[in-house]
Amino acid sequence: MSGNYGFWLPVAASSYARDLDTDFYLLLSGMVLMFFLWLGAFVYFLLRYRSGRAHQVERSGRGGGWALGAGLSIIVFELAVIVVYSVPTWAHVRMWLPSEKDAVEVEVKAQQYAWNVRYPGPDGKFGRTDPKLVHFTNPIGLDFSDPAAKDDVVLANEIHLPLGRPAIIRLSSLDVIHSLFIPEFRLKQDAVPGMSIPLWVKPTRLGTYDMVCAQLCGFAHAFMDGKVIVESPEAFEAWLKSRAPAAPTPAANF
Amino acid sequence: MAHGEEGGAGSFWRRYVFATDHKTIGLQYFFAAVFFLFAGFLMMMLMRWQLAYPWKPIPWFGKFLPARLAPNGSMGPDLYNMLGAMHGTVMIFLGIAPLGFAAFGNYVLPLQIGARDMAFPRLNMASFWLFLMGGILMLSSFWLPGGAIQSGWTSYPPLSIINPGQTVWIIAMVLIITSSLLGAINFITTTLNERAPGMSLMRLPIFVWTQLITSIILLLAFPPVEAAAVLLLMDRVAHTSFYVPAGVVVLGEALNRSGGGSPLLWQHLFWFLGHPEVYVLLLPPLGIVAEVLANGTRKPIYGYRVIVGSLLSLCLLSFIVWAHHQFVSGLFAGLANFFLMTTLTISIPVVLVVTCYVWTLKGGSIRFTTPMLFALAFLPMFGIGGLTGLPLGTHVTDIYLHDTYFVIAHFHYVVSNGIMIALFAGIYYWYPKWFGRMMDERLGKIHFWTTIIALNGLFFPMFIQGLAGMQRRLFDPGAQVHNRLVAPLNVFISFMAAVLLLGQLPFLYNFFVSLWKGEKAPENPWEATTLDWACPSPPPHGNFEKPPRAYRGPYEYSAGDGSRDCLPQGTA
């Protein structure tokens, strides 16, 4: 898994990872072009117009026409990238969800300093939770008087996902703000207490990926570390069966 | 006017401590801000040690740290979080902003508009003392029970509600914000009411424009965050729930609050200040660079009107871009498109200003003095800082880059490599006016080259770390698999930080030795045109020997047929 990372963007492992990278490369090419145009003019002027060379100071050009030209070209470039690429990509990644029928549903509830992961189990329904029931043996406060809760699969710091099938991740937090960050998926979203934020991702590459916290959440923030395991649909189903029915699994309460 | 007279004569205390003269207050701000900058720098050095050599005892300094925070002299995560949050707070609110706005503004703005003093000298004094009290309280929080703030300089609740150390931060921030508001009112009134005859708005030096616009931003952006900070204080001490939703459970214990609040509310109120604050940091240095560039190229600033128009539109736009800090915060996704548009719109005035500065060089007669070197270096450094903001201001690319070292590299290229470099240009440029002595050019150039090389070595590798996905605010980045390859770059980065520290020694030596040993400075050592150079160095109380008058625009270099090198603004 360490082979996924380099001195540049890591391996792309989700269906939209390449789209995000492409947007970055579009912007990067504009940035580099703009910078070297400025730098070229800058260096040329410094060499050409240093004092001591015999030339009269040119006072012309108080108008700012060159600046307006530069401003105009950057807005045309930015608008092109945004309208053609960024806004549609954003709509696809963040303003759309796959239908719940086709998707694997996972709930991720962050806490200091662990990711509590829950699957709805064979009945396809998440059971009720209650903050009053939170205990180190029941990290998300699952209410076992609810029949839907009995087959829920709860585990810590590990998400299993099937290859090629969209997953809906419902993200929330028990205590402070955390941020779910899976570099290979190009996925990042703050987990906010009091909110349940739906995300989607379609894994396109088998493997094990880092799942870390990107928002300062306390002294052990740097050690809030988990794994995403992308496996074949058959292996995923077999794994899910092996976990159910759930005995509540204690999360590592750091 | 009589008000300019007070504080000039009188006891030592009236003259140097509780002074009302704008020049004394400017220097008080200057020395306080430089002290805070070094304090923030030392915090950074301690963090750099931890990042380069995690868990290893801090050499020498470690034995002075309390065992609770640094067992065996090696840094603990609580201390790391304190240093990180305090580095940000101290650098932004106690270092850069007071230096660029309050110190340079207080000293130079009244001189440049031909005023005898600020409009409200006693308010000015109150502003400085509030600032100093806030600053001392802020730093002293390290030694108070609970220690310093640990939730980042952004202090996101609920973390900032349950963490120790936050209360003192809030109270210190309220003092600092109040100080800024008093200063802003004073600067606006002074600029509009105290101008010398003939100093119309379109004859104001760019520096004065930047100070005026900074004041407007401060006046409008700070009150919301001051109110927000008081609400946060209430959440901490009075158990209110402005930022606490129902059902929060901390380490297995339900938090004793009624709930109903929103953690995102704080983020909105904070960034409503937080983003305009970037322009508070940036605009005064932009003004300094304009003054130094016009002077060093011996020609008028290119596109004066375009620059003024751009600065005014920056002021307006800076209030509607704040949520680009919140693209992945849980903000409604459709709103992100709006903030993307406004953010990219604000890049236009910035591009206009930078391009005007670059084109000012064209056709000039460039003198490579030390202040000019710093002002020139500002342009490419700020260029990198500004351009790398594009993928952060674009929501799609921000998903991945948000909260990584790419962000750290981006804003340090703006604030450290750009703004701080421009502030150095200002120090070298106005030193003769302030102290009546010249600084040594050779030491200045040594300082320039070591600083610029060290800063780039320090911050450029962070772009790579950020692209590889390394998150910010990590006590030990190498603890996570995806950071293992890029975390060792921290050894090189920390080495460059040490070079940067050493590179400041020639500056300090130059600064203090020149106070006594420097060559005596004439009234106008740089052959400049603006009114600040039409009074003695240093100016006496009341500034000008006879009331000044502005006869022309601020940058009449190489005027007429080009036979005269410069036509000062105040010479008939």
Side-chain angles (χ1 to χ4, degrees):
Chain A
M1 123 181 216
S2 54
N4 296 346
Y5 313 103
F7 290 95
W8 197 248
L9 296 167
V11 154
S14 75
S15 60
Y16 51 64
R18 293 247 178 262
D19 301 341
L20 268 61
D21 293 355
T22 305
D23 202 332
F24 178 73
Y25 290 128
L26 284 173
L27 291 171
L28 185 67
S29 58
M31 283 151 61
V32 169
L33 182 69
M34 182 82 199
F35 180 71
F36 281 101
L37 286 177
W38 267 341
L39 195 69
F42 179 75
V43 171
Y44 172 75
F45 293 155
L46 289 188
L47 296 175
R48 167 80 179 75
Y49 297 111
R50 63 181 192 274
S51 77
R53 283 180 64 132
H55 70 85
Q56 184 111 2
V57 172
E58 301 160 21
R59 276 178 50 108
S60 62
R62 298 171 73 175
W66 276 96
L68 291 171
L72 193 69
S73 41
I74 196 115
I75 192 64
V76 168
F77 165 74
E78 286 175 356
L79 272 179
V81 174
I82 289 168
V83 172
V84 173
Y85 210 87
S86 301
V87 171
T89 308
W90 179 258
H92 174 62
V93 175
R94 281 297 159 105
M95 299 175 73
W96 174 85
L97 279 181
S99 89
E100 288 175 14
K101 283 207 304 293
D102 314 328
V104 183
E105 283 199 86
V106 196
E107 181 202 77
V108 175
K109 196 162 252 188
Q111 71 167 91
Q112 288 176 326
Y113 299 92
W115 304 102
N116 295 297
V117 178
R118 174 160 71 137
Y119 294 85
D123 67 352
K125 272 192 259 176
F126 287 111
R128 205 167 43 233
T129 59
D130 184 344
K132 287 197 213 55
L133 299 173
V134 171
H135 184 256
F136 73 92
T137 58
N138 185 6
I140 58 171
L142 205 53
D143 181 355
F144 289 103
S145 65
D146 177 15
K150 293 212 161 57
D151 63 344
D152 284 8
V153 175
V154 181
L155 65 161
N157 295 330
E158 216 177 274
I159 301 183
H160 286 248
L161 293 176
L163 181 74
R165 200 173 141 200
I168 297 177
I169 302 172
R170 302 198 185 273
L171 184 62
S172 63
S173 168
L174 273 174
D175 39 40
V176 301
I177 300 178
H178 302 268
S179 192
L180 177 71
F181 180 33
I182 304 164
E184 290 89 337
F185 287 173
R186 310 291 186 268
L187 177 105
K188 187 182 289 134
Q189 172 61 51
D190 284 7
V192 185
M195 291 173 81
S196 173
I197 300 167
L199 299 165
W200 76 275
V201 66
K202 188 164 105 179
T204 54
R205 186 176 179 278
L206 292 173
T208 304
Y209 308 118
D210 235 2
M211 166 175 68
V212 294
C213 182
Q215 183 71 270
L216 179 64
C217 59
F219 76 94
H221 166 58
F223 309 101
M224 190 166 162
D225 199 351
K227 297 279 164 281
V228 176
I229 297 153
V230 177
E231 46 204 356
S232 68
E234 301 76 39
F236 170 76
E237 292 299 338
W239 170 82
L240 197 58
K241 275 210 183 67
S242 77
R243 303 293 303 209
T249 313
N253 230 334
F254 208 100
Chain B
M1 280 294 280
H3 68 231
E5 305 298 333
E6 65 182 291
S11 70
F12 170 84
W13 288 94
R14 291 295 287 166
R15 230 195 270 187
Y16 297 108
V17 184
F18 297 104
T20 51
D21 187 298
H22 72 97
K23 300 183 290 295
T24 312
I25 295 176
L27 291 180
Q28 286 176 324
Y29 263 118
F30 176 80
F31 286 110
V34 169
F35 168 77
F36 287 126
L37 282 172
F38 269 90
F41 195 98
L42 292 179
M43 294 175 200
M44 182 273 278
M45 288 305 293
L46 291 176
M47 293 162 72
R48 288 298 344 159
W49 173 268
Q50 163 64 22
L51 289 169
Y53 305 106
W55 309 100
K56 299 250 170 43
I58 301 165
W60 184 69
F61 198 83
K63 61 177 184 272
F64 299 108
L65 297 170
R68 184 174 54 85
L69 295 174
N72 305 322
S74 59
M75 188 176 295
D78 284 339
L79 180 60
Y80 181 83
N81 286 347
M82 287 183 197
L83 291 170
M86 286 291 278
H87 169 75
T89 306
V90 167
M91 285 302 198
I92 293 169
F93 295 107
L94 299 173
I96 303 277
L99 184 57
F101 175 66
F104 280 103
N106 257 309
Y107 204 109
V108 176
L109 181 137
L111 295 178
Q112 286 199 331
I113 62 172
R116 294 174 59 82
D117 204 323
M118 297 293 272
F120 308 118
R122 273 183 259 195
L123 197 66
N124 208 9
M125 178 179 79
S127 170
F128 172 72
W129 286 101
L130 278 174
F131 161 74
L132 195 65
M133 274 160 51
I136 290 171
L137 182 63
M138 187 70 86
L139 280 192
S140 65
S141 65
F142 276 112
W143 290 273
L144 294 176
I149 171 187
Q150 298 176 27
S151 326
W153 77 282
T154 51
S155 297
Y156 280 7
L159 186 66
S160 58
I161 293 170
I162 61 176
N163 261 355
Q166 192 79 34
T167 305
V168 177
W169 182 87
I170 296 173
I171 296 169
M173 281 303 289
V174 167
L175 291 172
I176 295 163
I177 292 170
T178 309
S179 151
S180 300
L181 290 176
L182 299 183
I185 293 167
N186 210 348
F187 276 46
I188 294 172
T189 316
T190 305
T191 310
L192 296 181
N193 285 2
E194 305 285 311
R195 280 170 290 145
M199 183 62 82
S200 64
L201 286 178
M202 291 315 275
R203 281 183 182 173
L204 288 179
I206 301 281
F207 178 78
V208 178
W209 271 113
T210 59
Q211 292 285 339
L212 175 65
I213 293 166
T214 304
S215 308
I216 296 170
I217 295 177
L218 280 174
L219 196 60
L220 297 179
F222 257 141
V225 87
E226 185 154 23
V230 174
L231 299 186
L232 188 61
L233 187 67
M234 290 300 115
D235 271 9
R236 287 180 63 81
V237 299
H239 288 220
T240 54
S241 290
F242 292 104
Y243 306 120
V244 188
V248 170
V249 183
V250 179
L251 297 175
E253 293 272 343
L255 193 65
N256 179 23
R257 297 288 194 287
S258 66
S262 159
L264 285 189
L265 174 64
W266 164 267
Q267 298 182 17
H268 285 290
L269 294 172
F270 180 85
W271 287 116
F272 187 79
L273 155 89
H275 199 82
E277 177 73 16
V278 174
Y279 298 97
V280 168
L281 303 180
L282 173 65
L283 290 180
L286 274 182
I288 292 170
V289 170
E291 300 304 310
V292 177
L293 279 184
N295 178 267
T297 55
R298 320 305 300 164
K299 67 188 276 281
I301 276 285
Y302 176 80
Y304 176 91
R305 285 160 166 286
V306 172
I307 293 174
V308 172
S310 301
L311 295 176
L312 288 169
S313 58
L314 263 184
C315 173
L316 191 69
L317 288 167
S318 71
F319 287 99
I320 51 169
V321 298
W322 78 89
H324 65 218
H325 296 268
Q326 298 169 248
F327 284 148
V328 299
S329 71
L331 187 78
F332 170 57
L335 266 178
N337 282 329
F338 171 78
F339 285 101
L340 161 66
M341 289 298 178
T342 56
T343 302
L344 295 186
T345 313
I346 207 170
S347 67
I348 298 165
V350 179
V351 167
L352 291 181
V353 172
V354 173
T355 310
C356 281
Y357 285 7
V358 173
W359 251 257
T360 297
L361 303 172
K362 182 171 182 287
S365 173
I366 300 168
R367 299 174 176 176
F368 291 95
T369 57
T370 306
M372 188 64 175
L373 284 178
F374 277 99
L376 289 171
F378 168 84
L379 295 172
M381 291 299 103
F382 178 68
I384 296 176
L387 288 168
T388 50
L390 279 183
L392 295 171
T394 303
H395 45 28
V396 173
T397 39
D398 185 57
I399 294 174
Y400 179 75
L401 296 173
H402 185 78
D403 269 337
T404 64
Y405 266 74
F406 195 90
V407 180
I408 307 238
H410 155 70
F411 71 72
H412 280 91
Y413 260 88
V414 174
V415 178
S416 187
N417 298 20
I419 289 171
M420 196 56 223
I421 285 291
L423 291 173
F424 274 126
I427 294 172
Y428 281 99
Y429 185 64
W430 276 298
Y431 185 94
K433 181 55 64 187
W434 293 353
F435 302 111
R437 303 268 179 176
M438 304 300 288
M439 284 176 90
D440 185 69
E441 277 286 305
R442 199 166 51 90
L443 282 173
K445 281 170 183 160
I446 294 171
H447 174 223
F448 170 76
W449 286 110
T450 46
T451 302
I452 205 75
I453 291 167
L455 281 173
N456 280 287
L458 183 49
F459 293 115
F460 200 84
M462 293 190 190
F463 283 123
I464 304 297
Q465 291 181 321
L467 279 177
M470 189 164 117
Q471 315 98 290
R472 55 192 296 205
R473 294 172 173 169
L474 291 183
F475 165 69
D476 177 11
Q480 298 176 348
V481 177
H482 74 283
N483 295 330
R484 281 200 190 133
L485 198 62
V486 286
L489 288 177
N490 280 326
V491 178
F492 173 76
I493 294 174
S494 297
F495 173 75
M496 288 317 246
V499 174
L500 182 62
L501 182 64
L502 291 178
Q504 304 317 301
L505 296 180
F507 167 71
L508 288 177
Y509 178 85
N510 195 358
F511 188 96
F512 287 107
V513 171
S514 301
L515 285 179
W516 289 277
K517 297 271 171 71
E519 198 188 318
K520 279 237 186 289
E523 191 173 289
N524 187 1
W526 309 112
E527 302 173 281
T529 50
T530 43
L531 284 181
D532 44 331
W533 302 102
C535 53
S537 306
H541 192 63
N543 298 342
F544 296 93
E545 275 148 3
K546 59 181 181 56
R549 174 177 261 285
Y551 292 93
R552 55 187 68 80
Y555 307 116
E556 293 301 311
Y557 290 100
S558 313
D561 54 1
S563 56
R564 294 189 57 180
D565 183 61
C566 71
L567 268 178
Q569 209 173 3
T571 307

